[in-house]
Amino acid sequence: MDLGVNIDHVATLRQARGTTYPDPVAAALICEANGADLITLHLREDRRHISDHDVFRMREAIATRMNLEMAVTEEMKQIALSVKPDDICLVPEKRQEITTEGGLNVADQAASLEPFIDTLQSAGIRVSLFIDPDESQIVASHAVGASVIELHTGAYAEARSASQIRAELSRLETAVKIAEDHGFRVNAGHGLNYENVEPIVAIRSIKELNIGHAIISEALFAGLAGAVRRMRELMNRAGG
């Protein structure tokens, strides 16, 4: 299972003081050297952390895959066509949210999503849709032509009781099976950390996890290299 490290919050720390450090690109290179299979970054419309300059520099610097998260807007489409990352993950975005809340409502945006996805995939960019683990959204994602889905694991990560955790894991397992039946590559992410990642890794059909906040937080204590290695080791152990 691939580990994608989201380096947004390196940029969040930089933006807190308006400095040139810490550099997200330098962080990405450390992540690659210590077990990351890809680098994920979210270019938000309000540019609250990652900047356009970061995106273009990242594309030139990294040796692994670049996964660019972005909203479904004309501005973002043009940036994607210019940068040409390996992967695009389309996500919902609200200015007032702290982080992405919930999955993309593909069923309600099918008319605009289909040509948007077609343009990106025709340019050689693989397109993923960040969706909740619901059958209706999986079916809609297939209808609009996406080749990958990323299942939103937030409800699982926020579950507290044993019964809630089991229910959310079951929901994810069912969604993975439905997605596989529709020919999707299945990724997952949001809210995953060192305490809750192993049961998700045990869902063997998931191909990739994208994890950011937990790894960057752990880096305060273990260093970024150690934080990435620890997550990679947990995933390797859980994956057998």
Side-chain angles (χ1 to χ4, degrees):
M1 190 177 292
D2 289 345
L3 169 61
V5 178
N6 186 314
I7 48 77
D8 290 352
H9 292 301
V10 176
T12 297
L13 185 58
R14 177 191 65 191
Q15 299 305 95
R17 292 291 295 270
T19 60
T20 58
Y21 63 87
D23 181 9
V25 175
L29 297 179
I30 293 171
C31 293
E32 284 188 321
N34 288 278
D37 300 292
L38 64 145
I39 302 299
T40 295
L41 63 166
H42 184 175
L43 183 64
R44 295 186 69 105
E45 291 182 85
D46 61 11
R47 309 306 200 266
R48 68 176 63 171
H49 38 55
I50 294 297
S51 70
D52 299 54
H53 186 51
D54 294 328
V55 174
F56 283 90
R57 288 192 306 127
M58 194 76 67
R59 187 62 176 134
E60 294 299 317
I62 64 175
T64 58
R65 284 191 289 123
M66 179 178 177
N67 176 33
L68 180 61
E69 297 180 340
M70 66 182 204
V72 185
T73 69
E74 182 62 27
E75 178 194 26
M76 291 298 158
K77 181 172 74 175
Q78 294 307 317
I79 290 171
L81 291 172
S82 180
V83 175
K84 291 200 174 173
D86 302 280
D87 295 275
I88 288 286
C89 185
L90 300 178
V91 301
E93 193 172 305
K94 297 182 223 175
R95 294 294 177 94
Q96 67 272 24
E97 68 189 0
I98 294 173
T99 186
T100 305
E101 299 171 354
L104 195 67
N105 192 333
V106 181
D108 283 358
Q109 299 178 58
S112 59
L113 276 169
E114 188 168 0
F116 196 95
I117 292 167
D118 183 64
T119 298
L120 293 174
Q121 294 192 150
S122 294
I125 303 168
R126 185 167 60 176
V127 178
S128 172
L129 302 181
F130 184 67
I131 61 171
D132 291 327
D134 295 327
E135 182 172 9
S136 62
Q137 296 300 334
I138 296 168
V139 172
S141 297
H142 184 261
V144 298
S147 54
V148 183
I149 59 169
E150 180 168 338
L151 295 177
H152 182 261
T153 53
Y156 162 74
E158 292 167 8
R160 293 296 172 259
S161 71
S163 61
Q164 287 176 324
I165 292 169
R166 284 195 300 270
E168 291 302 330
L169 277 172
S170 177
R171 184 181 174 208
L172 286 162
E173 288 166 351
T174 298
V176 170
K177 179 64 169 64
I178 295 168
E180 280 194 304
D181 289 345
H182 283 80
F184 281 115
R185 172 188 168 96
V186 184
N187 302 334
H190 197 84
L192 299 178
N193 58 45
Y194 297 90
E195 285 69 48
N196 64 20
V197 72
E198 292 182 80
I200 300 298
V201 177
I203 306 174
R204 300 300 177 86
S205 295
I206 295 176
K207 303 300 183 187
E208 171 185 311
L209 298 183
N210 286 295
I211 305 172
H213 187 262
I215 291 174
I216 303 307
S217 297
E218 177 68 9
L220 292 173
F221 305 98
L224 184 55
V228 175
R229 285 198 302 269
R230 183 183 169 203
M231 184 61 75
R232 181 72 268 174
E233 288 163 3
L234 274 175
M235 289 174 62
N236 289 347
R237 184 167 67 242

